[in-house]
Amino acid sequence: MNSPLTRRTFLGASLATAATAALASCAPSTSPAAGRVDRILPTDPLVSQYEDARPSNGTTVTQKLSAGVFDTSVAGIALSTWGYNGALNGPVIRAKTGDTLKVPVTNTLTESTSVHWHGLALHNDADGVPVVTQPAIKPGANFDYQFRLNQPGTYWYHSHVDMQRERGLSGALIIEDPREPLLYDQEWVIVLDDWLDGITGTPEDVLAELSMGMDMSGMDMSGMDMPMTHMLMGATSSYLGGDAGDVRIPAHLFNGRAAQDAEVFQSRPGNRIRLRIINAAGDTAYRVGVPGQKITLTHTDGFPVHHEDVDAVVLGMGERIDAILTVQDGYTPLLAIPEGKDGRAYGLISTGSGTAPAAAVLPSTLNGIVTDGGRLTADDSVLLTSKKPDRIHTMRLTGSMGKYDWSINGRRFDMKKPFAGAFDITLDERVQVKMVNDTTMWHPMHLHGHSFQLSNNGARKDTVIVRPKETVTFEFDADNPGQWIAHCHNAYHAERGMIGLFSYVR
Ligand SMILES: [Cu+2]
């Protein structure tokens, strides 16, 4: 999805849409979409007016990012991949609410790129979605992202071009609260990832194999050699309602390290640690916990929730969880177990006594009280005001493994026609969205530029697990003009078309 359209072709697309709509308006209206549509584009003066109205403390935090090729080793295997500033995880960017974040990006790759700021309600032309919000950054070119930070929490950034995120082009973004209400002694950022680039193939190899689908019913298979290198059959998670994932993963990473090279955090008995956990994977949900010890969940996707003590928490791709853990004496393993897949990632907490446990003696399951961000409830301080929805949209999640034709309302997103099938909204509306999963697989659905609230005073989130045949309802306030995509955060599903567009219109 990286056709590097220029501003002219971008605007051309919208003009063509307007022209078609103008013609349509002469005919009897058969759908609410008929008639002239005046879309608020990322270049609209309204977008910068809204940015100027965001609070600012006058401080600018600058972090340069250089997207490029580098050599590294994963799980003991030397490989070459792509990342920011020559590392598997990009730098952890830290700033405070009220700060302006400035990120000069240099693209040293041989293809176009972009950076998306996952979870942030920022101005539309900094959202990093090529064609929809900006032209992609061409090879050798630079682009400065600059925006105000208006909501504290655990976020992340990643390329929004093709399968680039499935290499190393992602990193953590932590926005601190100058009036932080949570008490803790230490804080650790944990980025989880399912890695295959340079080990079993490239993400493009995987996409190509998956795209052939698994619907072979009409084919003559006699004498055919059907190599299935990447597609994973039988990955099952009852927690996720069945099929857990599509892709065979050779290495699960905890802050860029495989299990044999686990990170060791130093601490002291009794310390309260704030964990900021980010699932940066492409096709894997992780179940995270400490065997035999409860963790207290405090936030999901940046927003506070009513605290819950659990044995483990499941994160879909793109989701974040903040949790408090009290350190016990000796070595404590912090496990991340892939739902329905083999292997695991973990880190160790050491207080300086005892010996580190061998990987072989660590539990391979986490049970007891298990939840996920979508099942938590919002802290009262972040509840949306009670209001009747002004507009209701239904997004049916459609497609199947058979043709690998993942889509929204039966339509696979087409960058050449970004407004086709758009979910129109207008400023200041309360928008209700019903996500109806018609497929036999779960999807972690992500909305750009807004934080929604799940029904019945559920959590404020930007990414939520939608299980097979389930309907998830959420609401958000249309308070950030522009063009914002909503998509599955399974990298392969999104790339095959499971993307919709929430389009502000006048
Ligand atoms: Cu999906």
mmCIF file of all heavy atoms in Angstrom, residues 355-395:
data_model
loop_
_atom_site.group_PDB
_atom_site.id
_atom_site.type_symbol
_atom_site.label_atom_id
_atom_site.label_comp_id
_atom_site.label_asym_id
_atom_site.label_seq_id
_atom_site.Cartn_x
_atom_site.Cartn_y
_atom_site.Cartn_z
ATOM 1 N N THR A 355 20.027 -17.810 41.515
ATOM 2 C CA THR A 355 20.573 -18.023 40.175
ATOM 3 C C THR A 355 19.436 -17.950 39.156
ATOM 4 O O THR A 355 18.290 -18.279 39.464
ATOM 5 C CB THR A 355 21.250 -19.413 40.057
ATOM 6 O OG1 THR A 355 20.324 -20.402 40.514
ATOM 7 C CG2 THR A 355 22.524 -19.479 40.883
ATOM 8 N N ALA A 356 19.788 -17.539 37.957
ATOM 9 C CA ALA A 356 18.773 -17.388 36.905
ATOM 10 C C ALA A 356 18.218 -18.755 36.528
ATOM 11 O O ALA A 356 18.981 -19.702 36.336
ATOM 12 C CB ALA A 356 19.399 -16.721 35.682
ATOM 13 N N PRO A 357 16.886 -18.880 36.409
ATOM 14 C CA PRO A 357 16.308 -20.168 36.008
ATOM 15 C C PRO A 357 16.623 -20.461 34.546
ATOM 16 O O PRO A 357 16.667 -19.555 33.720
ATOM 17 C CB PRO A 357 14.806 -19.957 36.218
ATOM 18 C CG PRO A 357 14.607 -18.477 36.098
ATOM 19 C CD PRO A 357 15.866 -17.834 36.599
ATOM 20 N N ALA A 358 16.841 -21.743 34.252
ATOM 21 C CA ALA A 358 17.048 -22.139 32.855
ATOM 22 C C ALA A 358 15.708 -22.069 32.135
ATOM 23 O O ALA A 358 14.647 -22.278 32.741
ATOM 24 C CB ALA A 358 17.603 -23.553 32.800
ATOM 25 N N ALA A 359 15.772 -21.781 30.845
ATOM 26 C CA ALA A 359 14.544 -21.662 30.052
ATOM 27 C C ALA A 359 13.693 -22.919 30.182
ATOM 28 O O ALA A 359 12.462 -22.858 30.257
ATOM 29 C CB ALA A 359 14.891 -21.399 28.594
ATOM 30 N N ALA A 360 14.355 -24.081 30.246
ATOM 31 C CA ALA A 360 13.632 -25.358 30.245
ATOM 32 C C ALA A 360 12.747 -25.538 31.478
ATOM 33 O O ALA A 360 11.773 -26.287 31.439
ATOM 34 C CB ALA A 360 14.629 -26.506 30.143
ATOM 35 N N VAL A 361 13.068 -24.877 32.573
ATOM 36 C CA VAL A 361 12.261 -25.069 33.785
ATOM 37 C C VAL A 361 11.132 -24.044 33.910
ATOM 38 O O VAL A 361 10.308 -24.123 34.824
ATOM 39 C CB VAL A 361 13.127 -25.028 35.076
ATOM 40 C CG1 VAL A 361 14.270 -26.021 34.991
ATOM 41 C CG2 VAL A 361 13.659 -23.630 35.349
ATOM 42 N N LEU A 362 11.064 -23.101 33.003
ATOM 43 C CA LEU A 362 9.996 -22.100 33.095
ATOM 44 C C LEU A 362 8.676 -22.690 32.589
ATOM 45 O O LEU A 362 8.679 -23.500 31.669
ATOM 46 C CB LEU A 362 10.355 -20.865 32.258
ATOM 47 C CG LEU A 362 11.556 -20.068 32.756
ATOM 48 C CD1 LEU A 362 11.879 -18.944 31.784
ATOM 49 C CD2 LEU A 362 11.292 -19.515 34.150
ATOM 50 N N PRO A 363 7.554 -22.283 33.188
ATOM 51 C CA PRO A 363 6.257 -22.801 32.730
ATOM 52 C C PRO A 363 6.010 -22.438 31.272
ATOM 53 O O PRO A 363 6.481 -21.403 30.794
ATOM 54 C CB PRO A 363 5.241 -22.099 33.633
ATOM 55 C CG PRO A 363 6.016 -21.418 34.698
ATOM 56 C CD PRO A 363 7.419 -21.295 34.254
ATOM 57 N N SER A 364 5.244 -23.288 30.578
ATOM 58 C CA SER A 364 4.928 -22.980 29.180
ATOM 59 C C SER A 364 3.506 -22.457 29.038
ATOM 60 O O SER A 364 3.049 -22.175 27.931
ATOM 61 C CB SER A 364 5.121 -24.220 28.310
ATOM 62 O OG SER A 364 4.342 -25.269 28.832
ATOM 63 N N THR A 365 2.785 -22.327 30.166
ATOM 64 C CA THR A 365 1.431 -21.773 30.106
ATOM 65 C C THR A 365 1.239 -20.776 31.248
ATOM 66 O O THR A 365 1.942 -20.832 32.259
ATOM 67 C CB THR A 365 0.352 -22.866 30.252
ATOM 68 O OG1 THR A 365 0.592 -23.578 31.476
ATOM 69 C CG2 THR A 365 0.377 -23.843 29.099
ATOM 70 N N LEU A 366 0.287 -19.885 31.064
ATOM 71 C CA LEU A 366 -0.127 -18.951 32.114
ATOM 72 C C LEU A 366 -1.641 -19.045 32.208
ATOM 73 O O LEU A 366 -2.340 -18.751 31.229
ATOM 74 C CB LEU A 366 0.284 -17.522 31.765
ATOM 75 C CG LEU A 366 1.764 -17.162 31.864
ATOM 76 C CD1 LEU A 366 2.036 -15.846 31.140
ATOM 77 C CD2 LEU A 366 2.214 -17.067 33.321
ATOM 78 N N ASN A 367 -2.149 -19.488 33.353
ATOM 79 C CA ASN A 367 -3.589 -19.651 33.517
ATOM 80 C C ASN A 367 -4.060 -18.921 34.757
ATOM 81 O O ASN A 367 -3.306 -18.197 35.371
ATOM 82 C CB ASN A 367 -3.942 -21.144 33.563
ATOM 83 C CG ASN A 367 -3.615 -21.830 32.240
ATOM 84 O OD1 ASN A 367 -4.042 -21.389 31.178
ATOM 85 N ND2 ASN A 367 -2.799 -22.870 32.301
ATOM 86 N N GLY A 368 -5.337 -19.136 35.128
ATOM 87 C CA GLY A 368 -5.917 -18.433 36.266
ATOM 88 C C GLY A 368 -6.801 -17.309 35.762
ATOM 89 O O GLY A 368 -7.557 -17.479 34.804
ATOM 90 N N ILE A 369 -6.676 -16.143 36.369
ATOM 91 C CA ILE A 369 -7.460 -14.986 35.909
ATOM 92 C C ILE A 369 -6.724 -14.368 34.722
ATOM 93 O O ILE A 369 -5.614 -13.854 34.866
ATOM 94 C CB ILE A 369 -7.625 -13.943 37.035
ATOM 95 C CG1 ILE A 369 -8.321 -14.567 38.251
ATOM 96 C CG2 ILE A 369 -8.390 -12.723 36.524
ATOM 97 C CD1 ILE A 369 -8.332 -13.672 39.475
ATOM 98 N N VAL A 370 -7.352 -14.466 33.552
ATOM 99 C CA VAL A 370 -6.739 -13.949 32.322
ATOM 100 C C VAL A 370 -7.722 -12.979 31.680
ATOM 101 O O VAL A 370 -8.916 -13.277 31.581
ATOM 102 C CB VAL A 370 -6.420 -15.092 31.334
ATOM 103 C CG1 VAL A 370 -5.746 -14.548 30.077
ATOM 104 C CG2 VAL A 370 -5.539 -16.139 32.007
ATOM 105 N N THR A 371 -7.240 -11.831 31.258
ATOM 106 C CA THR A 371 -8.124 -10.873 30.600
ATOM 107 C C THR A 371 -7.370 -10.178 29.471
ATOM 108 O O THR A 371 -6.239 -10.553 29.145
ATOM 109 C CB THR A 371 -8.688 -9.859 31.634
ATOM 110 O OG1 THR A 371 -9.770 -9.128 31.045
ATOM 111 C CG2 THR A 371 -7.626 -8.886 32.112
ATOM 112 N N ASP A 372 -8.041 -9.184 28.856
ATOM 113 C CA ASP A 372 -7.369 -8.362 27.848
ATOM 114 C C ASP A 372 -7.930 -6.964 27.945
ATOM 115 O O ASP A 372 -8.954 -6.738 28.618
ATOM 116 C CB ASP A 372 -7.556 -8.958 26.441
ATOM 117 C CG ASP A 372 -9.006 -8.966 26.002
ATOM 118 O OD1 ASP A 372 -9.453 -7.973 25.402
ATOM 119 O OD2 ASP A 372 -9.717 -9.967 26.277
ATOM 120 N N GLY A 373 -7.297 -6.020 27.289
ATOM 121 C CA GLY A 373 -7.677 -4.615 27.403
ATOM 122 C C GLY A 373 -9.135 -4.358 27.066
ATOM 123 O O GLY A 373 -9.777 -3.487 27.647
ATOM 124 N N GLY A 374 -9.682 -5.130 26.134
ATOM 125 C CA GLY A 374 -11.059 -4.953 25.703
ATOM 126 C C GLY A 374 -12.074 -5.368 26.753
ATOM 127 O O GLY A 374 -13.265 -5.098 26.612
ATOM 128 N N ARG A 375 -11.621 -6.046 27.807
ATOM 129 C CA ARG A 375 -12.534 -6.497 28.857
ATOM 130 C C ARG A 375 -12.368 -5.680 30.134
ATOM 131 O O ARG A 375 -12.975 -5.988 31.156
ATOM 132 C CB ARG A 375 -12.305 -7.994 29.129
ATOM 133 C CG ARG A 375 -12.769 -8.813 27.943
ATOM 134 C CD ARG A 375 -12.570 -10.296 28.082
ATOM 135 N NE ARG A 375 -13.292 -10.982 27.003
ATOM 136 C CZ ARG A 375 -13.256 -12.277 26.773
ATOM 137 N NH1 ARG A 375 -12.531 -13.068 27.543
ATOM 138 N NH2 ARG A 375 -13.945 -12.799 25.785
ATOM 139 N N LEU A 376 -11.539 -4.651 30.075
ATOM 140 C CA LEU A 376 -11.358 -3.778 31.236
ATOM 141 C C LEU A 376 -12.378 -2.635 31.150
ATOM 142 O O LEU A 376 -13.032 -2.446 30.125
ATOM 143 C CB LEU A 376 -9.925 -3.233 31.249
ATOM 144 C CG LEU A 376 -8.836 -4.312 31.322
ATOM 145 C CD1 LEU A 376 -7.449 -3.703 31.160
ATOM 146 C CD2 LEU A 376 -8.917 -5.101 32.635
ATOM 147 N N THR A 377 -12.514 -1.886 32.233
ATOM 148 C CA THR A 377 -13.456 -0.758 32.223
ATOM 149 C C THR A 377 -12.695 0.539 32.464
ATOM 150 O O THR A 377 -11.702 0.571 33.201
ATOM 151 C CB THR A 377 -14.547 -0.928 33.300
ATOM 152 O OG1 THR A 377 -13.925 -1.156 34.562
ATOM 153 C CG2 THR A 377 -15.464 -2.095 32.960
ATOM 154 N N ALA A 378 -13.177 1.604 31.843
ATOM 155 C CA ALA A 378 -12.468 2.880 31.892
ATOM 156 C C ALA A 378 -12.479 3.468 33.297
ATOM 157 O O ALA A 378 -13.481 3.384 34.016
ATOM 158 C CB ALA A 378 -13.126 3.869 30.927
ATOM 159 N N ASP A 379 -11.360 4.052 33.673
ATOM 160 C CA ASP A 379 -11.334 4.870 34.885
ATOM 161 C C ASP A 379 -12.318 6.026 34.688
ATOM 162 O O ASP A 379 -12.435 6.568 33.584
ATOM 163 C CB ASP A 379 -9.914 5.404 35.096
ATOM 164 C CG ASP A 379 -9.793 6.165 36.407
ATOM 165 O OD1 ASP A 379 -9.623 5.499 37.439
ATOM 166 O OD2 ASP A 379 -9.878 7.412 36.386
ATOM 167 N N ASP A 380 -13.000 6.398 35.792
ATOM 168 C CA ASP A 380 -14.039 7.436 35.684
ATOM 169 C C ASP A 380 -13.502 8.730 35.057
ATOM 170 O O ASP A 380 -14.233 9.453 34.383
ATOM 171 C CB ASP A 380 -14.622 7.750 37.073
ATOM 172 C CG ASP A 380 -15.319 6.536 37.682
ATOM 173 O OD1 ASP A 380 -15.392 5.493 36.984
ATOM 174 O OD2 ASP A 380 -15.759 6.619 38.838
ATOM 175 N N SER A 381 -12.215 9.010 35.277
ATOM 176 C CA SER A 381 -11.636 10.272 34.804
ATOM 177 C C SER A 381 -11.570 10.371 33.280
ATOM 178 O O SER A 381 -11.396 11.468 32.744
ATOM 179 C CB SER A 381 -10.227 10.437 35.382
ATOM 180 O OG SER A 381 -9.389 9.397 34.902
ATOM 181 N N VAL A 382 -11.685 9.231 32.579
ATOM 182 C CA VAL A 382 -11.558 9.275 31.112
ATOM 183 C C VAL A 382 -12.822 8.805 30.393
ATOM 184 O O VAL A 382 -12.815 8.588 29.176
ATOM 185 C CB VAL A 382 -10.332 8.459 30.616
ATOM 186 C CG1 VAL A 382 -9.038 9.095 31.122
ATOM 187 C CG2 VAL A 382 -10.419 6.991 31.023
ATOM 188 N N LEU A 383 -13.918 8.631 31.152
ATOM 189 C CA LEU A 383 -15.180 8.236 30.506
ATOM 190 C C LEU A 383 -15.660 9.341 29.569
ATOM 191 O O LEU A 383 -15.567 10.526 29.899
ATOM 192 C CB LEU A 383 -16.256 8.007 31.569
ATOM 193 C CG LEU A 383 -16.282 6.661 32.289
ATOM 194 C CD1 LEU A 383 -17.341 6.696 33.390
ATOM 195 C CD2 LEU A 383 -16.568 5.529 31.312
ATOM 196 N N LEU A 384 -16.168 8.955 28.413
ATOM 197 C CA LEU A 384 -16.825 9.941 27.556
ATOM 198 C C LEU A 384 -18.100 10.398 28.255
ATOM 199 O O LEU A 384 -18.707 9.639 29.008
ATOM 200 C CB LEU A 384 -17.197 9.310 26.205
ATOM 201 C CG LEU A 384 -16.074 8.895 25.267
ATOM 202 C CD1 LEU A 384 -16.658 8.374 23.960
ATOM 203 C CD2 LEU A 384 -15.125 10.061 24.981
ATOM 204 N N THR A 385 -18.498 11.644 28.002
ATOM 205 C CA THR A 385 -19.764 12.127 28.569
ATOM 206 C C THR A 385 -20.901 11.284 27.996
ATOM 207 O O THR A 385 -20.809 10.787 26.871
ATOM 208 C CB THR A 385 -20.009 13.596 28.181
ATOM 209 O OG1 THR A 385 -19.948 13.686 26.757
ATOM 210 C CG2 THR A 385 -18.973 14.506 28.816
ATOM 211 N N SER A 386 -21.949 11.140 28.757
ATOM 212 C CA SER A 386 -23.092 10.348 28.305
ATOM 213 C C SER A 386 -23.838 11.126 27.219
ATOM 214 O O SER A 386 -24.204 12.278 27.424
ATOM 215 C CB SER A 386 -23.994 10.061 29.508
ATOM 216 O OG SER A 386 -25.108 9.324 29.089
ATOM 217 N N LYS A 387 -24.023 10.496 26.070
ATOM 218 C CA LYS A 387 -24.629 11.204 24.936
ATOM 219 C C LYS A 387 -25.188 10.178 23.963
ATOM 220 O O LYS A 387 -24.586 9.111 23.780
ATOM 221 C CB LYS A 387 -23.540 12.047 24.263
ATOM 222 C CG LYS A 387 -24.019 12.996 23.197
ATOM 223 C CD LYS A 387 -22.833 13.756 22.559
ATOM 224 C CE LYS A 387 -23.289 14.575 21.376
ATOM 225 N NZ LYS A 387 -22.164 15.078 20.571
ATOM 226 N N LYS A 388 -26.295 10.506 23.336
ATOM 227 C CA LYS A 388 -26.869 9.610 22.326
ATOM 228 C C LYS A 388 -26.023 9.719 21.055
ATOM 229 O O LYS A 388 -25.639 10.815 20.672
ATOM 230 C CB LYS A 388 -28.300 10.064 22.022
ATOM 231 C CG LYS A 388 -29.268 8.943 21.736
ATOM 232 C CD LYS A 388 -30.692 9.496 21.739
ATOM 233 C CE LYS A 388 -31.514 8.939 20.599
ATOM 234 N NZ LYS A 388 -31.342 9.496 19.302
ATOM 235 N N PRO A 389 -25.738 8.598 20.390
ATOM 236 C CA PRO A 389 -24.947 8.719 19.157
ATOM 237 C C PRO A 389 -25.675 9.529 18.090
ATOM 238 O O PRO A 389 -26.885 9.402 17.923
ATOM 239 C CB PRO A 389 -24.756 7.266 18.699
ATOM 240 C CG PRO A 389 -25.532 6.411 19.615
ATOM 241 C CD PRO A 389 -26.061 7.221 20.747
ATOM 242 N N ASP A 390 -24.921 10.389 17.403
ATOM 243 C CA ASP A 390 -25.476 11.150 16.290
ATOM 244 C C ASP A 390 -25.444 10.330 15.003
ATOM 245 O O ASP A 390 -26.157 10.626 14.055
ATOM 246 C CB ASP A 390 -24.659 12.434 16.072
ATOM 247 C CG ASP A 390 -24.658 13.308 17.300
ATOM 248 O OD1 ASP A 390 -25.735 13.804 17.678
ATOM 249 O OD2 ASP A 390 -23.581 13.469 17.922
ATOM 250 N N ARG A 391 -24.533 9.364 14.979
ATOM 251 C CA ARG A 391 -24.352 8.587 13.749
ATOM 252 C C ARG A 391 -23.900 7.181 14.129
ATOM 253 O O ARG A 391 -23.104 7.013 15.049
ATOM 254 C CB ARG A 391 -23.284 9.245 12.881
ATOM 255 C CG ARG A 391 -23.281 8.755 11.452
ATOM 256 C CD ARG A 391 -22.116 9.310 10.696
ATOM 257 N NE ARG A 391 -22.220 10.737 10.371
ATOM 258 C CZ ARG A 391 -22.625 11.209 9.185
ATOM 259 N NH1 ARG A 391 -22.946 10.390 8.222
ATOM 260 N NH2 ARG A 391 -22.654 12.507 8.968
ATOM 261 N N ILE A 392 -24.447 6.217 13.401
ATOM 262 C CA ILE A 392 -24.077 4.823 13.682
ATOM 263 C C ILE A 392 -23.537 4.200 12.401
ATOM 264 O O ILE A 392 -24.161 4.298 11.343
ATOM 265 C CB ILE A 392 -25.289 4.009 14.200
ATOM 266 C CG1 ILE A 392 -25.802 4.616 15.506
ATOM 267 C CG2 ILE A 392 -24.911 2.538 14.396
ATOM 268 C CD1 ILE A 392 -27.093 3.997 16.039
ATOM 269 N N HIS A 393 -22.342 3.609 12.500
ATOM 270 C CA HIS A 393 -21.764 2.902 11.355
ATOM 271 C C HIS A 393 -21.568 1.433 11.718
ATOM 272 O O HIS A 393 -21.168 1.123 12.844
ATOM 273 C CB HIS A 393 -20.392 3.489 10.989
ATOM 274 C CG HIS A 393 -20.471 4.727 10.154
ATOM 275 N ND1 HIS A 393 -21.145 4.771 8.949
ATOM 276 C CD2 HIS A 393 -19.952 5.974 10.337
ATOM 277 C CE1 HIS A 393 -21.022 5.985 8.427
ATOM 278 N NE2 HIS A 393 -20.321 6.738 9.252
ATOM 279 N N THR A 394 -21.847 0.576 10.766
ATOM 280 C CA THR A 394 -21.562 -0.847 10.959
ATOM 281 C C THR A 394 -20.388 -1.232 10.072
ATOM 282 O O THR A 394 -20.402 -0.973 8.870
ATOM 283 C CB THR A 394 -22.792 -1.713 10.598
ATOM 284 O OG1 THR A 394 -23.877 -1.335 11.451
ATOM 285 C CG2 THR A 394 -22.489 -3.193 10.788
ATOM 286 N N MET A 395 -19.361 -1.792 10.700
ATOM 287 C CA MET A 395 -18.203 -2.300 9.958
ATOM 288 C C MET A 395 -18.227 -3.808 10.069
ATOM 289 O O MET A 395 -17.962 -4.347 11.143
ATOM 290 C CB MET A 395 -16.890 -1.816 10.588
ATOM 291 C CG MET A 395 -16.545 -0.372 10.338
ATOM 292 S SD MET A 395 -14.943 0.013 11.110
ATOM 293 C CE MET A 395 -13.805 -0.451 9.807
#
